[in-house]
């Protein structure tokens, strides 16, 4: 039964890739072409940078092409059936450690193989050629998250081969939003929170050092750090480049037009994480505030987050310091 469910799921994914790819080949939407021309005319010096994060989903930064994909009811049923038959389970010997079904291990390997061999990942620096295969793959990956154990999800390297390239270079709104949702769910642990801790605090170093924190919990914390480091390093790299081009010692922190696509996409993910898990958000960045090389960028991000009017309801949750009951 398990093997049959896996075969049905793989067949469904391959059929969708084949059927949609026949009629929907990679293309550059006309609205993106026009926005690129305007951008080049307005600023040839910083043409690689996107507008600030507040305009992330504007027509000039994240584009909404007419190319769309929605899983069919039969495909949804096949995925739901697989997730139902192969749920995550809690390890009886290690708190905070989840166990992934053996068939899901094989499925992960098949997904990686399909992605690398069947989906021609866009190599263009700005991902202007929209490939329906990426959107199909992202939909299946998102639907399958409930049966993926964090350690094995990270080990499969979905972040480096798919999610990170999309968030760093893509301006296709449908794909960016879906990949952002996958990253956000991995950071919050939403899809397995009912099995282990509802909120996983980066402050829990006492539990980690005592061995009480399971591998799944640690994997989530490490994934959060990976996303934050990607954002901070990108921001530092951009500032260093602008300093060289402009011969300025200091780069203004919030001038429009100096955020790259990567900064905008990642900052949106981090802001969403802060809204959902404010205590974890501030505890996470506390680690980077004490590091001189990341302090300035971290403080600027925190200032922009706090200044957002929409985040005011969550501020009451961070007045008291996080406490761990042992």
């Amino acid at each position: 039964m398990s093997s049959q469910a896996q075969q049905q799921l793989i067949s469904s994914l391959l059929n969708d890739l084949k059927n949609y790819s026949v009629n929907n080949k990679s293309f550059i939407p006309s609205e993106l072409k026009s926005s690129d021309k305007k951008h080049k005319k307005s600023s040839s010096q910083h043409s690689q940078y996107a507008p600030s994060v507040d305009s992330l989903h504007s027509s000039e930064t994240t584009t909404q092409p007419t190319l769309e994909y929605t899983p069919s009811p039969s495909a949804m049923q096949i995925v739901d059936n697989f997730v139902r038959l192969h749920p995550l389970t809690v390890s009886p010997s290690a708190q905070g450690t989840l166990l992934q079904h053996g068939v899901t291990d094989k499925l992960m390997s098949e997904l990686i193989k399909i992605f690398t061999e069947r989906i021609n990942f866009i190599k263009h620096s700005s991902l202007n050629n929209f490939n329906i295969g990426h959107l199909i793959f992202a939909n299946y990956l998102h639907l399958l998250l409930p049966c993926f154990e964090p350690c094995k999800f990270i080990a499969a390297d979905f972040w480096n081969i798919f999610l990170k390239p999309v968030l760093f270079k893509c301006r296709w709104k449908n794909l960016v939003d879906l990949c952002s949702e996958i990253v956000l769910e991995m950071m919050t642990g939403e899809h397995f929170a009912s099995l282990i801790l509802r909120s996983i605090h980066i402050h829990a170093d006492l539990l980690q050092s005592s061995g009480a924190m399971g591998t799944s919990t640690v994997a989530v914390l490490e994934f959060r750090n990976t996303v934050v480091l990607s954002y901070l390093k990108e921001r530092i790299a951009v500032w260093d480049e602008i300093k060289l081009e402009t011969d300025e010692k200091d780069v203004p922190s919030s001038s429009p037009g100096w955020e790259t696509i990567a900064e905008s996409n990642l900052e949106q993910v981090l802001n969403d994480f802060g809204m959902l898990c404010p205590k974890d958000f501030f505890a996470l960045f506390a680690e980077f505030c004490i590091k001189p090389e990341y302090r300035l960028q971290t403080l600027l991000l925190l200032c922009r987050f706090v200044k957002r009017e929409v985040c005011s309801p969550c501020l009451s949750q961070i007045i008291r310091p996080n406490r761990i009951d042992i």
Side-chain angles (χ1 to χ4, degrees):
M1 180 68 73
S2 293
S3 178
Q4 183 180 2
Q6 178 196 350
Q7 292 174 0
Q8 289 178 341
L9 195 152
I10 294 298
S11 297
S12 176
L13 172 57
L14 292 176
N15 286 335
D16 281 353
L17 287 173
K18 179 181 178 180
N19 295 334
Y20 276 82
S21 297
V22 169
N23 298 318
N24 299 285
K25 296 183 179 180
S26 301
F27 69 102
I28 302 178
S30 58
E31 59 267 34
L32 182 58
K33 291 180 180 178
S34 60
S35 67
D36 280 347
K37 291 179 180 178
K38 293 178 183 178
H39 192 51
K40 289 178 181 178
K41 290 181 180 179
S42 63
S43 175
S44 59
Q45 184 177 11
H46 301 299
S47 59
Q48 63 177 310
Y49 302 117
S52 62
V53 68
D54 291 328
S55 58
L56 169 64
H57 297 299
S58 69
S59 60
E60 293 186 2
T61 54
T62 307
T63 305
Q64 179 70 53
T66 55
L67 187 63
E68 295 182 354
Y69 165 78
T70 302
S72 65
S74 60
M76 291 287 292
Q77 184 176 0
I78 290 173
V79 176
D80 288 343
N81 184 52
F82 183 90
V83 173
R84 179 178 56 81
L85 291 174
H86 309 91
L88 291 172
T89 56
V90 181
S91 171
S93 59
Q95 178 183 353
T97 295
L98 302 175
L99 301 177
Q100 179 173 293
H101 200 286
V103 175
T104 309
D105 293 342
K106 297 179 182 178
L107 175 65
M108 273 189 167
S109 300
E110 286 291 327
L111 291 176
I112 295 296
K113 184 178 180 180
I114 289 173
F115 181 79
T116 54
E117 296 181 0
R118 302 291 186 97
I119 302 176
N120 182 25
F121 195 68
I122 304 303
K123 295 181 180 180
H124 192 280
S125 60
S126 60
L127 285 177
N128 282 351
N129 294 320
F130 293 82
N131 187 335
I132 189 66
H134 301 121
L135 190 59
I136 294 173
F137 186 82
N139 270 275
Y140 274 81
L141 194 63
H142 186 221
L143 293 172
L144 288 167
L145 274 185
C147 63
F148 289 157
E149 193 275 324
C151 284
K152 295 193 175 183
F153 181 90
I154 295 171
D157 215 20
F158 288 113
W159 167 253
N160 284 314
I161 69 171
F162 181 51
L163 299 173
K164 183 178 178 180
V166 168
L167 294 180
F168 263 62
K169 298 178 180 179
C170 188
R171 292 194 286 170
W172 184 6
K173 187 178 186 301
N174 285 352
L175 184 58
V176 170
D177 286 351
L178 192 53
C179 288
S180 296
E181 185 65 24
I182 293 173
V183 173
L184 187 61
E185 287 189 24
M186 285 302 301
M187 293 180 71
T188 60
E190 177 182 342
H191 62 282
F192 57 80
S194 60
L195 295 176
I196 55 175
L197 302 175
R198 175 63 60 177
S199 179
I200 306 171
H201 299 297
I202 199 82
H203 261 349
D205 53 336
L206 293 177
L207 291 178
Q208 187 172 358
S209 62
S210 66
M213 181 177 285
T215 56
S216 299
T217 305
V218 173
V220 173
L221 303 183
E222 291 177 348
F223 185 74
R224 291 176 179 178
N225 276 276
T226 297
V227 176
V228 173
L229 275 173
S230 297
Y231 168 80
L232 294 176
K233 288 181 178 179
E234 172 69 9
R235 195 162 184 84
I236 290 173
V238 170
W239 284 15
D240 289 343
E241 184 176 346
I242 296 177
K243 286 179 185 178
L244 290 175
E245 292 182 0
T246 60
D247 293 326
E248 295 179 5
K249 294 182 179 180
D250 298 315
V251 178
S253 60
S254 58
S255 296
W258 284 6
E259 280 83 4
T260 63
I261 294 171
E263 287 179 278
S264 298
N265 289 342
L266 288 173
E267 187 163 328
Q268 185 64 46
V269 171
L270 294 174
N271 283 331
D272 291 343
F273 174 64
M275 291 296 299
L276 291 172
C277 308
K279 290 183 179 180
D280 296 348
F281 174 83
F282 283 94
L284 171 62
F285 279 98
E287 292 252 323
F288 293 95
C289 279
I290 62 176
K291 298 178 180 180
E293 64 271 31
Y294 301 125
R295 185 176 298 135
L296 179 58
Q297 291 76 18
T298 299
L299 291 175
L300 288 171
L301 174 66
L302 293 176
C303 287
R304 284 198 296 273
F305 176 77
V306 173
K307 284 171 64 177
R308 287 172 177 267
E309 186 176 351
V310 293
C311 82
S312 57
C314 76
L315 294 182
S316 60
Q317 300 183 40
I318 62 170
I319 296 177
R320 298 179 180 178
N322 293 331
R323 295 182 179 178
I324 303 171
D325 296 326
I326 300 177

